[in-house]
Amino acid sequence: MSLKYTPDHEWILVEGDIATVGITHHAQDALGDVVFVDLPEVGASIDAKAVAGVVESVKAAADVYMPVSGTVTEVNEALRADPALANSDPLGAGWFFKVQLSNPAELDGLMDKTSYDSFAANN
């Protein structure tokens, strides 16, 4: 298992060739109370850095970007039913979708926890 982060405040947990994607604590803190999520369709092939979904809060709406290229294999229906999971457990029950990696080398361009923590503190 490998946990990586994007400059757009998504996290990606890689297990083999499947990765789980969500938003970070920093992102949900900045957004405030999440009230709606728009998740990608299962089977959709999405390129790295393309918009994969939307998260809306009482303060703002923000795009959720695909950290790496791949095909969506599963979406979190519990999050769709209870968007507040993105606030209460962003790195657990509040995950957004799972993707089968099409280019695992793209993971090398993402940040580890130490790098991300430093980045988030300054952005």
Side-chain angles (χ1 to χ4, degrees), residues 23 27-39 51-64 79-80 82-87 96:
I23 61 171
Q28 68 85 24
D29 279 345
L31 285 166
D33 294 335
V34 174
V35 296
F36 175 78
V37 294
D38 181 24
L39 301 172
V51 174
V54 176
V55 59
E56 294 182 14
S57 73
V58 294
K59 294 198 289 188
D63 290 331
V64 176
L79 181 65
R80 195 185 315 262
D82 183 8
L85 289 171
N87 294 116
F96 279 58

Short mmCIF file of all heavy atoms in Angstrom, two decimals, residues 23 27-39 51-64 79-80 82-87 96:
data_model
loop_
_atom_site.label_atom_id
_atom_site.label_comp_id
_atom_site.label_asym_id
_atom_site.label_seq_id
_atom_site.Cartn_x
_atom_site.Cartn_y
_atom_site.Cartn_z
N ILE A 23 -10.58 13.23 -0.90
CA ILE A 23 -10.02 14.56 -0.63
C ILE A 23 -9.35 14.53 0.74
O ILE A 23 -9.73 13.76 1.62
CB ILE A 23 -11.07 15.68 -0.72
CG1 ILE A 23 -12.20 15.50 0.31
CG2 ILE A 23 -11.62 15.78 -2.14
CD1 ILE A 23 -13.16 16.69 0.42
N ALA A 27 -8.36 19.81 2.40
CA ALA A 27 -9.42 20.18 1.45
C ALA A 27 -10.77 20.30 2.16
O ALA A 27 -11.49 21.28 1.96
CB ALA A 27 -9.51 19.17 0.32
N GLN A 28 -11.11 19.32 2.98
CA GLN A 28 -12.42 19.37 3.63
C GLN A 28 -12.47 20.50 4.65
O GLN A 28 -13.51 21.11 4.84
CB GLN A 28 -12.83 18.00 4.20
CG GLN A 28 -12.04 17.48 5.37
CD GLN A 28 -12.52 18.00 6.71
OE1 GLN A 28 -13.67 18.38 6.89
NE2 GLN A 28 -11.61 18.03 7.66
N ASP A 29 -11.34 20.82 5.30
CA ASP A 29 -11.31 21.97 6.21
C ASP A 29 -11.58 23.27 5.45
O ASP A 29 -12.32 24.13 5.90
CB ASP A 29 -9.94 22.09 6.90
CG ASP A 29 -9.78 21.16 8.08
OD1 ASP A 29 -10.79 20.61 8.57
OD2 ASP A 29 -8.63 20.96 8.51
N ALA A 30 -10.96 23.41 4.28
CA ALA A 30 -11.12 24.62 3.47
C ALA A 30 -12.55 24.73 2.92
O ALA A 30 -13.09 25.83 2.83
CB ALA A 30 -10.11 24.62 2.32
N LEU A 31 -13.15 23.61 2.56
CA LEU A 31 -14.49 23.62 2.00
C LEU A 31 -15.57 23.87 3.05
O LEU A 31 -16.59 24.49 2.76
CB LEU A 31 -14.80 22.29 1.31
CG LEU A 31 -14.13 22.08 -0.03
CD1 LEU A 31 -14.22 20.62 -0.45
CD2 LEU A 31 -14.77 22.97 -1.09
N GLY A 32 -15.38 23.38 4.24
CA GLY A 32 -16.44 23.43 5.24
C GLY A 32 -17.37 22.24 5.07
O GLY A 32 -16.99 21.21 4.50
N ASP A 33 -18.59 22.36 5.55
CA ASP A 33 -19.53 21.24 5.55
C ASP A 33 -19.91 20.83 4.13
O ASP A 33 -20.54 21.59 3.40
CB ASP A 33 -20.80 21.58 6.33
CG ASP A 33 -20.53 21.77 7.81
OD1 ASP A 33 -19.54 21.20 8.32
OD2 ASP A 33 -21.30 22.49 8.46
N VAL A 34 -19.52 19.60 3.75
CA VAL A 34 -19.83 19.07 2.43
C VAL A 34 -21.30 18.67 2.39
O VAL A 34 -21.79 17.96 3.27
CB VAL A 34 -18.92 17.88 2.08
CG1 VAL A 34 -19.32 17.24 0.77
CG2 VAL A 34 -17.46 18.34 2.02
N VAL A 35 -22.02 19.14 1.35
CA VAL A 35 -23.46 18.87 1.24
C VAL A 35 -23.82 18.07 -0.01
O VAL A 35 -24.94 17.57 -0.12
CB VAL A 35 -24.28 20.18 1.27
CG1 VAL A 35 -24.12 20.88 2.62
CG2 VAL A 35 -23.89 21.12 0.14
N PHE A 36 -22.89 17.93 -0.95
CA PHE A 36 -23.19 17.20 -2.19
C PHE A 36 -21.89 16.75 -2.84
O PHE A 36 -20.90 17.48 -2.81
CB PHE A 36 -23.95 18.11 -3.16
CG PHE A 36 -24.21 17.48 -4.50
CD1 PHE A 36 -25.23 16.55 -4.68
CD2 PHE A 36 -23.43 17.81 -5.60
CE1 PHE A 36 -25.46 15.96 -5.92
CE2 PHE A 36 -23.65 17.25 -6.84
CZ PHE A 36 -24.68 16.31 -6.99
N VAL A 37 -21.91 15.56 -3.42
CA VAL A 37 -20.78 15.10 -4.24
C VAL A 37 -21.30 14.58 -5.56
O VAL A 37 -22.36 13.96 -5.63
CB VAL A 37 -19.94 14.00 -3.54
CG1 VAL A 37 -19.24 14.54 -2.30
CG2 VAL A 37 -20.79 12.79 -3.19
N ASP A 38 -20.58 14.88 -6.62
CA ASP A 38 -20.87 14.35 -7.94
C ASP A 38 -19.72 13.42 -8.28
O ASP A 38 -18.58 13.86 -8.42
CB ASP A 38 -20.97 15.49 -8.96
CG ASP A 38 -21.30 14.99 -10.35
OD1 ASP A 38 -21.88 13.89 -10.47
OD2 ASP A 38 -20.96 15.70 -11.33
N LEU A 39 -20.01 12.12 -8.35
CA LEU A 39 -18.98 11.12 -8.55
C LEU A 39 -18.95 10.68 -10.02
O LEU A 39 -19.96 10.76 -10.71
CB LEU A 39 -19.27 9.92 -7.65
CG LEU A 39 -19.31 10.25 -6.15
CD1 LEU A 39 -19.79 9.04 -5.35
CD2 LEU A 39 -17.95 10.71 -5.65
N VAL A 51 -10.93 16.54 -14.58
CA VAL A 51 -11.96 16.59 -13.55
C VAL A 51 -12.68 15.24 -13.51
O VAL A 51 -13.15 14.74 -14.52
CB VAL A 51 -12.97 17.73 -13.83
CG1 VAL A 51 -14.12 17.69 -12.84
CG2 VAL A 51 -12.26 19.09 -13.79
N ALA A 52 -12.74 14.67 -12.31
CA ALA A 52 -13.39 13.37 -12.13
C ALA A 52 -14.69 13.48 -11.35
O ALA A 52 -15.50 12.57 -11.34
CB ALA A 52 -12.44 12.41 -11.42
N GLY A 53 -14.88 14.61 -10.68
CA GLY A 53 -16.09 14.80 -9.89
C GLY A 53 -16.13 16.21 -9.32
O GLY A 53 -15.25 17.02 -9.59
N VAL A 54 -17.16 16.45 -8.52
CA VAL A 54 -17.32 17.76 -7.88
C VAL A 54 -17.74 17.53 -6.44
O VAL A 54 -18.51 16.62 -6.15
CB VAL A 54 -18.40 18.60 -8.62
CG1 VAL A 54 -18.66 19.92 -7.91
CG2 VAL A 54 -18.00 18.84 -10.06
N VAL A 55 -17.25 18.39 -5.58
CA VAL A 55 -17.68 18.38 -4.18
C VAL A 55 -18.21 19.77 -3.88
O VAL A 55 -17.58 20.77 -4.21
CB VAL A 55 -16.54 17.95 -3.23
CG1 VAL A 55 -15.33 18.84 -3.33
CG2 VAL A 55 -17.02 17.87 -1.80
N GLU A 56 -19.41 19.83 -3.28
CA GLU A 56 -20.02 21.11 -2.94
C GLU A 56 -20.20 21.19 -1.44
O GLU A 56 -20.59 20.21 -0.79
CB GLU A 56 -21.38 21.26 -3.62
CG GLU A 56 -21.28 21.34 -5.12
CD GLU A 56 -22.63 21.52 -5.80
OE1 GLU A 56 -23.62 21.85 -5.12
OE2 GLU A 56 -22.68 21.34 -7.02
N SER A 57 -19.91 22.36 -0.92
CA SER A 57 -20.08 22.60 0.52
C SER A 57 -20.95 23.82 0.72
O SER A 57 -21.37 24.46 -0.25
CB SER A 57 -18.72 22.82 1.18
OG SER A 57 -18.20 24.10 0.81
N VAL A 58 -21.19 24.16 1.97
CA VAL A 58 -21.97 25.35 2.25
C VAL A 58 -21.22 26.61 1.82
O VAL A 58 -21.83 27.65 1.61
CB VAL A 58 -22.35 25.43 3.76
CG1 VAL A 58 -23.29 24.30 4.12
CG2 VAL A 58 -21.13 25.41 4.65
N LYS A 59 -19.89 26.52 1.66
CA LYS A 59 -19.08 27.67 1.29
C LYS A 59 -18.74 27.75 -0.19
O LYS A 59 -18.59 28.84 -0.73
CB LYS A 59 -17.77 27.68 2.09
CG LYS A 59 -17.95 27.90 3.57
CD LYS A 59 -16.68 28.33 4.26
CE LYS A 59 -15.64 27.26 4.39
NZ LYS A 59 -14.50 27.63 5.21
N ALA A 60 -18.55 26.60 -0.84
CA ALA A 60 -18.01 26.61 -2.21
C ALA A 60 -18.23 25.27 -2.89
O ALA A 60 -18.59 24.30 -2.25
CB ALA A 60 -16.51 26.92 -2.17
N ALA A 61 -17.95 25.26 -4.18
CA ALA A 61 -17.90 24.02 -4.95
C ALA A 61 -16.48 23.89 -5.48
O ALA A 61 -15.83 24.88 -5.79
CB ALA A 61 -18.89 24.05 -6.10
N ALA A 62 -15.99 22.66 -5.55
CA ALA A 62 -14.64 22.44 -6.03
C ALA A 62 -14.60 21.18 -6.88
O ALA A 62 -15.32 20.21 -6.61
CB ALA A 62 -13.67 22.29 -4.85
N ASP A 63 -13.77 21.22 -7.91
CA ASP A 63 -13.58 20.04 -8.73
C ASP A 63 -12.71 19.03 -7.99
O ASP A 63 -11.82 19.41 -7.22
CB ASP A 63 -12.89 20.41 -10.05
CG ASP A 63 -13.80 21.20 -10.98
OD1 ASP A 63 -15.04 21.02 -10.91
OD2 ASP A 63 -13.27 22.01 -11.76
N VAL A 64 -12.95 17.77 -8.24
CA VAL A 64 -12.10 16.69 -7.77
C VAL A 64 -11.37 16.18 -9.00
O VAL A 64 -12.00 15.79 -9.99
CB VAL A 64 -12.93 15.56 -7.11
CG1 VAL A 64 -12.02 14.40 -6.71
CG2 VAL A 64 -13.70 16.09 -5.91
N LEU A 79 -21.10 7.74 0.33
CA LEU A 79 -20.75 9.17 0.30
C LEU A 79 -21.82 9.96 -0.46
O LEU A 79 -22.18 11.06 -0.05
CB LEU A 79 -19.39 9.36 -0.36
CG LEU A 79 -18.88 10.79 -0.44
CD1 LEU A 79 -18.63 11.37 0.96
CD2 LEU A 79 -17.60 10.85 -1.26
N ARG A 80 -22.34 9.39 -1.52
CA ARG A 80 -23.40 10.05 -2.26
C ARG A 80 -24.63 10.23 -1.35
O ARG A 80 -25.28 11.26 -1.37
CB ARG A 80 -23.78 9.23 -3.50
CG ARG A 80 -24.59 9.99 -4.50
CD ARG A 80 -25.06 9.15 -5.68
NE ARG A 80 -24.13 8.27 -6.31
CZ ARG A 80 -23.45 8.53 -7.43
NH1 ARG A 80 -23.58 9.71 -8.01
NH2 ARG A 80 -22.66 7.64 -7.97
N ASP A 82 -24.56 10.25 2.00
CA ASP A 82 -24.20 11.04 3.19
C ASP A 82 -22.91 11.80 2.91
O ASP A 82 -21.83 11.37 3.33
CB ASP A 82 -24.04 10.12 4.40
CG ASP A 82 -23.73 10.87 5.69
OD1 ASP A 82 -23.78 12.13 5.69
OD2 ASP A 82 -23.43 10.21 6.70
N PRO A 83 -22.98 12.92 2.17
CA PRO A 83 -21.78 13.67 1.80
C PRO A 83 -20.93 14.13 2.98
O PRO A 83 -19.73 14.37 2.84
CB PRO A 83 -22.32 14.87 1.02
CG PRO A 83 -23.69 14.48 0.59
CD PRO A 83 -24.20 13.54 1.63
N ALA A 84 -21.52 14.22 4.16
CA ALA A 84 -20.78 14.65 5.35
C ALA A 84 -19.66 13.67 5.71
O ALA A 84 -18.75 14.03 6.46
CB ALA A 84 -21.72 14.83 6.53
N LEU A 85 -19.68 12.47 5.16
CA LEU A 85 -18.57 11.53 5.39
C LEU A 85 -17.25 12.12 4.90
O LEU A 85 -16.19 11.78 5.44
CB LEU A 85 -18.83 10.20 4.68
CG LEU A 85 -19.93 9.31 5.26
CD1 LEU A 85 -20.21 8.14 4.33
CD2 LEU A 85 -19.54 8.81 6.65
N ALA A 86 -17.29 12.99 3.90
CA ALA A 86 -16.07 13.64 3.42
C ALA A 86 -15.47 14.54 4.49
O ALA A 86 -14.26 14.78 4.48
CB ALA A 86 -16.36 14.45 2.15
N ASN A 87 -16.29 15.03 5.42
CA ASN A 87 -15.80 15.83 6.53
C ASN A 87 -15.40 14.96 7.72
O ASN A 87 -14.34 15.14 8.30
CB ASN A 87 -16.85 16.83 7.01
CG ASN A 87 -17.17 17.88 5.98
OD1 ASN A 87 -18.28 17.95 5.49
ND2 ASN A 87 -16.20 18.72 5.63
N PHE A 96 -13.93 8.72 -2.35
CA PHE A 96 -14.79 9.09 -3.47
C PHE A 96 -14.98 7.97 -4.49
O PHE A 96 -16.08 7.63 -4.85
CB PHE A 96 -14.25 10.34 -4.17
CG PHE A 96 -14.61 11.61 -3.48
CD1 PHE A 96 -14.25 11.84 -2.16
CD2 PHE A 96 -15.32 12.60 -4.12
CE1 PHE A 96 -14.59 13.02 -1.51
CE2 PHE A 96 -15.67 13.78 -3.49
CZ PHE A 96 -15.30 13.98 -2.17
#
